[in-house]
Amino acid sequence: MTAAADTRDPVTRAPETRASGRVSMVKLYGMHVRALLLETLRVPIAIIGSMVFPAMSLLFFVVPNRVVADDPVLATQAVISLSVFAVMVSALFNLGLTIAENREKPWDPYLRSLPLPPAVRISAQLTATSALSFASMIPVLLVGAFATAATVSVSGLLLGLVELALTSIPFLLLGAAIGYAFPSKAAIAVIQVGMFGFAFAGGLFFPPQFFPDWLDALSRFIPARHARELVISAVDGTAPDLWMLAGALAWTLAAAALVLWLYRRDEGRRYR
Amino acid sequence: MTTLARLDSVTRRFGSTTALDAVSLEIRSGEILGLLGPNGAGKSTMLTLLQGSRRPTSGTVELFGGDPSLARFRAELGSTPQETALPDTLRVSEVIDLVAAHFPDRVPTAQLAEEFGFADLLRRQCGALSGGQKRRIAVALAFAGRPRLVLLDEPTTGLDVDARHGLWAAIRRHRADGATVVVTSHYLEEIEALADRVVVIDQGRVLADDSLDAVRSRVESSIVSLRSPSAQRIAELAGVVRAERAEGGEASGDGTDRLDLTVADSDEFVRTLVTSGLPFERLAVRGASLEEAFLALTVSTPASPERIPV
C-alpha cells in the first residue's frame, strides 16, 4: 500500500530514533497499526456501514439503470466513482470519528505521554484507516464485476488502486483535521455534510457529464472530483488532467498543513 | 542526588482559572515524593506538564534535562492513564505489550502481571475488567519500561484495603530498585505510607515542601476557639501556628473578639494560656481539618500574608 510506505518515511528519519536506544520505530509503528486494527476489527459492526453503503448505492442506483450498467464506459466510471466514495467515506469517518472520540478518552493522551514520536502515531492511524478503506472498496468491485458491464485491464486495475491510494491522502488528512478540530458529536455532523456534499458535487453519484455548467465549474474545485478524474485516467491509461492533478495536490498540502497545526495545538479535549 | 525533573515558576491557566500559580519544584532521584492536596488543587495539572501532554502558560518544565513535549525526553518516564481508561476491546496482554514496546528494557509481561496480581487476567479484554482490576493494570503500566521516574496519579483510588497495601508494597519495592516516584493523593494516609518528601499544594500553589515527618507534625494540629478582650496578646503566645480573629461587635456585645487558633499541641497551649493569666471564655478545642491544616502550612513561608492580620 502506497500510503503506508509514504507515511513510514518521516518516522525512520525522526531524531527520536537515536535517543530512544534500542526501540525500533518501525516495530513501534507496527505495534500501533496492529492495536488500531484490532480495536476496530473486534467491533466489526463499526466498519459494516462504510463497507456496505457504497456497494448498496451501486446495487440500487446503478445496476437497475441498464443504460449505465450495460455500457462498459459508463459502468466502469460508476464503479470507480463509488470506489472513490467508499475510500472517502471510510477515510473521513473512520479517522475523523476515531480521533475525535479518542481525544475525549484518557487513553490517547496517555499514549502521547509515552516516548512516542507524534509521526509514529499519526502514520499508524493513517495506515490502519487506509487498510480499512481498501476493505470497504472490495464489495463495490465485486458488485461492479458481476452485475455491470464494467471492465478493467489488470494494469488498469493496479494503476487505479495506486491512484486511489494517493488520492485518498487528502481525505485522510481532512478526516484527521476534523477529528482534531471538533468534539465527536460535532465531528459526525461535519463529516456527514462534508461527505455527501463532496460526493454529489464531485460527481460520485451522478456523472459530471450530466451536470449543468455552473455545477461542473464548482465541481472542479472539489477533491472528490479530482480523485474521480485521476483514478479514471489511471484506469484508462490516459494522461491525467493537469487541473485535476493540481487540485488534488493543493488539497493535500492544505489539509496536511491544517492537521499539523491542529495536532500541535491539541492538548486533548479534557475538562477540569 | 541528581535532579530528574524541574518546574521553574510554572503557571498554567485554563481560560480564567489558574491551575498552577508560579510553582517551582525539583524532583530528585531516589525519593518518593508525595503530592498532597484536595481535588482540583493542581496535582494532575502538574503531572500532565511533566508528561509533556500540556505546556505551561509561563515558566519552564524540564524532564531529564529537556522539554518533556519531545518524545526522546520521555524515554525514562513511566505513568498511568487517567481514570484508568484502557482500550475496551484490547486484551490485557496486548495493552501491556503495546505500552512496553516503547521502552528499550521492558519488564516481561508475565513478570509484571505476577507482581501486580493480574496474571489470571492477561487474556481478558479490558472492557470486561472491574474498576479495581483496571486500577492495578494501569499502575503496572507505569513500571512496564523500568523507568527512572514514575508518576502515579491517585494510584489506589477505589481499591480495597488489601489491594491498596499490595500496591504500596510494589511501589516501595521499585523505589528500592532505584526508581524515583511521584505520587499524588488527597489521602493523608496514602502519602504517609509512601512518601519521604511531601509537597502540599492547594489552589495551584505550593504550601509546603518538606520531609514527611515535618509536614505530618504540622498537619496534625488542633484548632482552639475562644473569646477574649485580649485577642491580640493571646495570638502572640507561644505555640500558635496561625490565628484568625473575628471582630466581636454586636454578637458578643462586650467588646470581646472571637479567636480561632491553630496550634500544634493543644494541651501545651492551654497550659500556656492559663499560666499567662490573660482573660478568655468559651474555650473549645477540636482537631484541625485537612484544609485548615493546609492553611496553617502557609506560615512555613516567613513572608506569608496570613500572619499579618493578627
Side-chain angles (χ1 to χ4, degrees), chain A residues 150-197:
Chain A
T151 57
V152 64
S153 63
V154 175
S155 65
L157 180 66
L158 292 179
L159 281 175
L161 289 176
V162 170
E163 191 61 52
L164 202 54
L166 289 175
T167 54
S168 74
I169 293 172
F171 297 120
L172 288 167
L173 294 169
L174 283 174
I178 291 169
Y180 284 116
F182 297 99
S184 61
K185 282 188 176 133
I188 293 181
V190 172
I191 291 165
Q192 277 172 340
V193 170
M195 88 184 184
F196 282 110

Side-chain angles (χ1 to χ4, degrees), chain A residues 63-83:
Chain A
V63 172
N65 182 355
R66 297 318 297 182
V67 178
V68 175
D70 291 338
D71 181 305
V73 173
L74 289 181
T76 305
Q77 290 192 355
V79 171
I80 290 171
S81 294
L82 287 168
S83 297

Side-chain angles (χ1 to χ4, degrees), chain A residues 32 42 110 114 267 270 272, chain B residues 14 79 83 89 94 102:
Chain A
H32 277 270
R42 290 220 176 115
Y110 173 66
L114 296 172
E267 295 188 334
R270 306 300 310 286
R272 283 188 70 251
Chain B
F14 295 94
S79 59
E83 298 155 38
T89 52
E94 290 164 350
H102 295 79

Side-chain angles (χ1 to χ4, degrees), chain B residues 268-287:
Chain B
E268 185 57 44
F269 173 73
V270 170
R271 250 176 250 126
T272 313
L273 175 63
V274 172
T275 320
S276 74
L278 292 165
F280 67 90
E281 58 187 32
R282 284 190 253 176
L283 178 89
V285 178
R286 63 184 169 84

Side-chain angles (χ1 to χ4, degrees), chain A residues 29-136:
Chain A
Y29 158 84
M31 294 285 291
H32 277 270
V33 172
R34 181 171 172 272
L36 287 163
L37 285 176
L38 281 178
E39 276 185 72
T40 312
L41 295 177
R42 290 220 176 115
V43 196
I45 197 73
I47 55 164
I48 294 292
S50 60
M51 282 193 77
V52 167
F53 187 49
M56 268 177 34
S57 306
L58 186 63
L59 204 55
F60 293 144
F61 296 124
V62 177
V63 172
N65 182 355
R66 297 318 297 182
V67 178
V68 175
D70 291 338
D71 181 305
V73 173
L74 289 181
T76 305
Q77 290 192 355
V79 171
I80 290 171
S81 294
L82 287 168
S83 297
V84 170
F85 180 63
V87 170
M88 177 181 83
V89 169
S90 176
L92 290 176
F93 244 105
N94 290 337
L95 200 57
L97 205 51
T98 308
I99 290 177
E101 280 177 346
N102 284 343
R103 287 172 58 237
E104 285 157 28
K105 295 182 200 152
W107 178 246
D108 216 49
Y110 173 66
L111 289 179
R112 289 173 69 166
S113 80
L114 296 172
L116 168 66
V120 175
R121 179 72 179 166
I122 293 179
S123 44
Q125 275 172 330
L126 294 183
T127 309
T129 310
S130 302
L132 297 172
S133 301
F134 272 73
S136 70

Side-chain angles (χ1 to χ4, degrees), chain B residues 56-83:
Chain B
T57 309
S58 66
T60 52
V61 180
E62 217 176 82
L63 179 70
F64 296 114
D67 176 357
S69 70
L70 298 175
R72 62 178 177 277
F73 292 108
R74 301 194 298 263
E76 293 175 299
L77 178 74
S79 59
T80 51
Q82 290 225 329
E83 298 155 38

